Amino acid sequence: MAAYVNVAEAKCQDAPGPGADWSGCSKARIMLTGEDLAGTNFQRSLLTLSDFGGSKMMGANLSETEISRTRFEKADLTKANFTKALGWRANFSEALLVETNFSSADMNRSNFAKAKASGANFQKAELNRSDFSGANLERADMGKAELARVIFQQTKLAGVDFNHSNLSRAQLQGAVLQDVNMAGAYLYLTQLGGADLTSAKGLTQAQIDMACGDAQTKLPSGLTAPKTWPCSSEED
């Protein structure tokens, strides 16, 4: 047992680099900006308050890793794995997140502004109060995700799957929801002012009735704007 512990501790002292194994290591507050960390294994490690800005982290394994208040701004995280990661207030602004896996991750209040996350997997993730302003989420899977009060302003959303997600009070003003799957999505006071939902899939009148649109909101054929639109300022 002692020998195993010594080996585990030794790998945590390894220098950072492509394919390094830092799984289970405590690396809080480390500064690794602009590094090549492609394929590094961070599984179940502690990376809170660390800085990976601009680093190459393609295919890195960060599943079940703690990354609260950690900075990944402009990092390349293409196809990285954040499954079940804990990352409150993490910063992914302008990061490359193409086909990155955030399934079942807790990323509440995180910053994804201007991130390139086409094809990313956010299924069952908790993203309440996060910011996706100006991000590219085309074809992303957000099924069954917690998205209350999330900001989607000027976000590319073509083909996003929102099935059975919680979009209560989310900000989708002016969004173009082309071929977006809204089946079963919870739209309580969701902000749809000026949004184009003409090609959205799975929408029902009941969903529209609880949302907040306006005269500029475009609805699919067969659905009508409720008399409660626009919502009162108190509801907004």
Side-chain angles (χ1 to χ4, degrees):
M1 179 63 73
Y4 174 80
V5 172
N6 289 336
V7 170
E9 290 179 349
K11 73 179 178 65
C12 293
Q13 302 304 316
D14 289 348
D21 183 3
W22 281 1
S23 57
C25 298
S26 179
K27 295 288 184 177
R29 300 177 185 272
I30 57 172
M31 300 293 112
L32 289 174
T33 58
E35 295 281 346
D36 186 351
L37 303 170
T40 295
N41 184 6
F42 295 102
Q43 186 178 30
R44 295 183 180 178
S45 60
L46 178 66
L47 300 176
T48 54
L49 294 164
S50 294
D51 192 345
F52 296 93
S55 289
K56 297 178 181 179
M57 304 179 72
M58 302 81 77
N61 183 3
L62 295 106
S63 59
E64 301 180 77
T65 298
E66 293 191 34
I67 55 171
S68 293
R69 297 182 183 273
T70 295
R71 178 177 175 265
F72 297 96
E73 186 176 359
K74 298 182 179 180
D76 187 345
L77 291 154
T78 301
K79 295 186 178 181
N81 183 7
F82 287 89
T83 302
K84 296 183 179 180
L86 175 61
W88 281 42
R89 297 186 185 276
N91 185 356
F92 294 93
S93 62
E94 300 185 66
L96 283 175
L97 303 172
V98 177
E99 297 184 14
T100 301
N101 190 353
F102 288 94
S103 60
S104 300
D106 187 345
M107 296 284 153
N108 288 315
R109 297 177 181 269
S110 290
N111 182 5
F112 293 88
K114 298 182 179 180
K116 295 178 176 64
S118 57
N121 182 2
F122 292 95
Q123 192 175 64
K124 296 183 180 180
E126 294 193 26
L127 296 157
N128 298 315
R129 296 180 182 270
S130 292
D131 185 359
F132 285 89
S133 297
N136 184 347
L137 291 173
E138 293 177 345
R139 304 181 310 283
D141 185 352
M142 291 190 151
K144 299 181 181 180
E146 292 294 327
L147 304 167
R149 298 182 185 271
V150 167
I151 301 172
F152 289 110
Q153 294 182 348
Q154 297 183 320
T155 305
K156 294 180 180 179
L157 297 167
V160 171
D161 189 351
F162 283 122
N163 84 86
H164 291 87
S165 62
N166 175 15
L167 284 161
S168 60
R169 298 182 185 270
Q171 296 184 33
L172 287 158
Q173 298 98 323
V176 178
L177 299 168
Q178 180 181 357
D179 298 323
V180 169
N181 181 11
M182 302 292 283
Y186 185 55
L187 302 182
Y188 177 70
L189 300 183
T190 303
Q191 303 299 305
L192 299 175
D196 186 348
L197 297 105
T198 51
S199 66
K201 304 173 182 177
L203 267 179
T204 65
Q205 189 63 49
Q207 287 171 295
I208 293 299
D209 289 346
M210 68 171 66
C212 288
D214 58 20
Q216 285 71 49
T217 303
K218 298 178 182 178
L219 298 174
S221 177
L223 301 183
T224 59
K227 295 180 180 180
T228 53
W229 285 9
C231 299
S232 67
S233 57
E234 291 183 359
E235 290 177 317
D236 293 350

